[in-house]
Amino acid sequence: MSKLFNIRFTWPVPVLLGGLLIALTANAAEPASLREAAQARGKLVGFAMFGKPGLDAKYDETAVREFNVVVCENAMKFGCVCPAARGQYDFSVPDAIVGFAQTNKVKVRGHCLVWHFQQPNWFSRGEWSKHEMGDILHEHIRTMLTHYKGKVFAWDVVNEAISDSKDPHEIYRKDNYYDVLGPEYLDMAFRWAHETDPQARLIYNEYGTEFGGVKFEKMYQMLKGMKARGVPVDGVGLQMHIGLGAKNQTQKLGSTIRKLGELGLEVQITELDVAIDLPCDDKKLQTQAKIFGDIAATAMEEKACTALLMWGFTDKHSWLPQFSNGKRGCGLIFDEQYRPKPAYSAMLKAMTK
Ligand code: XIL
């Protein structure tokens, strides 16, 4: 004991301080993971989980090491959670994902309650009156938010409601919700979600709006109107399914986030991937890394941006090849063997202060 005591005090103070400084700077310069880097900046960094936990140990390990928020890639969608008949919910897969997240202190985003795609057949093929469809939607929102109350901190309440038309006056996508309920379905959905779980952050999620343009303007006006009517919308999800062409556009992301922030909305980047036209090569990977790095830096710097999630993390499990007939892929930050790609290092660097 006395020997230890002696040793401690025989080290000159400047050496001790110097050592401490090196330890601190080494730590600051090199967080062990994206999760650690994001935590230090008070932000969330995350991924969409394909399938469910327990299928591949390497996948699960990498996920909890790197991320502090998860979203189900498919499991919470209407068509997945309620496939067979009205009122018959099967929560087994999303519950497994939520349980895995809780065990590993990872937050959960909910995706998504109202969407034109991946609806159950019993619903999309049905003929509904306005009253019936309103009832079904209300019931679905109430069921989901009751089941996940206190477990899902943010919900994509409405996904992809804005029309892709270049016509600035054509605001809404003409899907079955719009056709039967009219544009009021958006306000209704947010109000119903808020009435069931007043604590949840309620998000409007959209693609193709991150760098401004006609579609962004439509979304902005729609959200401004909702805010003015007192609709409980808390934030916007920018999906960000982009490609290498985004290289010269990333500087526009900051102003998009600030404009939405000025409306009193938080911004979450919800589905980032940077698709590459296959085959992939080193040059393309470097361009991709630059894009991921720029976006991560903006997400960290902009106060209104609270989260950055990618639509997966390993190229082994990505929707891109399947959705482009094998033409595009390689859009995430780990390769198929779970090795970090240049995009991973660029993100880590950009997120480290
Ligand atoms: C995709 C999934 O990744 C696929 O597995 C599924 O077959 C179709 O949907 N925008 C969204 C996501 O909001 O839900 C989509 O996910 C990708 C585009």
Side-chain angles (χ1 to χ4, degrees):
M1 194 61 187
S2 66
K3 206 164 171 226
L4 260 182
F5 193 79
N6 277 338
I7 290 169
R8 268 171 67 194
F9 285 91
T10 48
W11 289 100
V13 169
V15 172
L16 281 175
L17 286 179
L20 188 66
L21 203 68
I22 289 168
L24 283 177
T25 37
N27 215 10
E30 247 173 59
S33 61
L34 300 178
R35 180 175 182 154
E36 206 178 287
Q39 213 92 9
R41 307 289 294 263
K43 306 264 180 171
L44 296 173
V45 65
F47 73 107
M49 184 170 226
F50 97 101
K52 57 182 179 180
L55 299 176
D56 175 349
K58 188 102 192 192
Y59 181 95
D60 294 358
E61 272 162 38
T62 310
V64 299
R65 186 187 72 226
E66 296 296 336
F67 304 113
N68 55 13
V69 60
V70 66
V71 60
C72 303
E73 181 173 353
N74 288 301
M76 286 190 190
K77 292 171 180 172
F78 197 9
C80 300
V81 75
C82 188
R86 182 169 175 182
Q88 278 182 33
Y89 284 78
D90 177 359
F91 288 111
S92 50
V93 177
D95 280 0
I97 297 177
V98 171
F100 170 79
Q102 288 183 323
T103 307
N104 294 291
K105 301 195 163 44
V106 169
K107 289 187 132 192
V108 183
R109 292 190 87 252
H111 174 82
C112 49
L113 299 168
V114 188
W115 191 26
H116 61 91
F117 197 52
Q118 287 181 286
Q119 301 179 350
N121 287 339
W122 65 261
F123 175 68
S124 61
R125 294 185 186 162
E127 292 279 334
W128 310 106
S129 69
K130 193 169 179 168
H131 184 76
E132 283 166 338
M133 188 181 274
D135 267 0
I136 292 171
L137 190 56
H138 192 177
E139 203 174 281
H140 176 57
I141 292 174
R142 199 173 43 220
T143 305
M144 296 301 286
L145 270 76
T146 303
H147 189 83
Y148 289 112
K149 205 169 187 170
K151 295 180 178 167
V152 167
F153 83 102
W155 279 100
D156 289 333
V157 177
V158 179
N159 192 31
E160 304 180 351
I162 304 285
S163 160
D164 283 322
S165 156
K166 297 269 172 289
D167 176 357
H169 303 294
E170 190 185 315
I171 311 285
Y172 299 99
R173 176 189 294 276
K174 304 219 163 21
D175 61 8
N176 51 349
Y177 293 113
Y178 180 89
D179 287 345
V180 178
L181 301 171
E184 297 81 33
Y185 81 86
L186 282 117
D187 290 15
M188 286 153 71
F190 278 89
R191 291 192 196 281
W192 287 331
H194 184 69
E195 131 204 314
T196 309
D197 186 355
Q199 303 299 321
R201 306 292 294 165
L202 304 182
I203 308 295
Y204 173 74
N205 197 46
E206 188 57 88
Y207 66 89
T209 57
E210 54 276 353
F211 303 137
V214 178
K215 193 170 177 185
F216 170 78
E217 290 305 327
K218 295 185 208 180
M219 180 177 82
Y220 181 86
Q221 292 305 330
M222 179 189 82
L223 290 164
K224 198 173 166 188
M226 289 169 84
K227 276 294 210 188
R229 293 191 295 279
V231 176
V233 53
D234 298 305
V236 181
L238 302 174
Q239 291 188 6
M240 298 203 74
H241 293 291
I242 57 179
L244 297 187
K247 185 174 63 169
N248 303 317
Q249 304 244 66
T250 50
Q251 73 284 359
K252 296 182 193 159
L253 177 62
S255 87
T256 297
I257 295 173
R258 285 190 294 278
K259 279 184 196 156
L260 294 167
E262 281 156 20
L263 282 184
L265 295 163
E266 75 174 79
V267 176
Q268 303 183 352
I269 295 170
T270 51
E271 306 184 13
L272 177 63
D273 48 24
V274 182
I276 287 180
D277 290 334
L278 300 172
C280 193
D281 62 33
D282 278 350
K283 196 166 162 241
K284 293 178 186 175
L285 287 175
Q286 293 306 328
T287 308
Q288 183 187 52
K290 170 91 172 67
I291 297 171
F292 269 104
D294 287 351
I295 292 168
T298 305
M300 296 302 114
E301 277 153 27
E302 293 299 336
K303 255 181 85 188
C305 183
T306 54
L308 166 51
L309 288 90
M310 288 160 283
W311 209 237
F313 61 91
T314 162
D315 291 335
K316 189 173 178 185
H317 300 292
S318 162
W319 74 306
L320 291 171
Q322 205 199 333
F323 263 73
S324 60
N325 283 324
K327 291 201 177 68
R328 280 149 72 87
C330 208
L332 296 166
I333 58 174
F334 286 86
D335 71 11
E336 295 187 11
Q337 282 75 44
Y338 297 99
R339 288 177 303 218
K341 291 163 63 180
Y344 173 89
S345 318
M347 267 186 86
L348 190 61
K349 193 165 165 221
M351 290 166 66
T352 304
K353 216 169 184 175

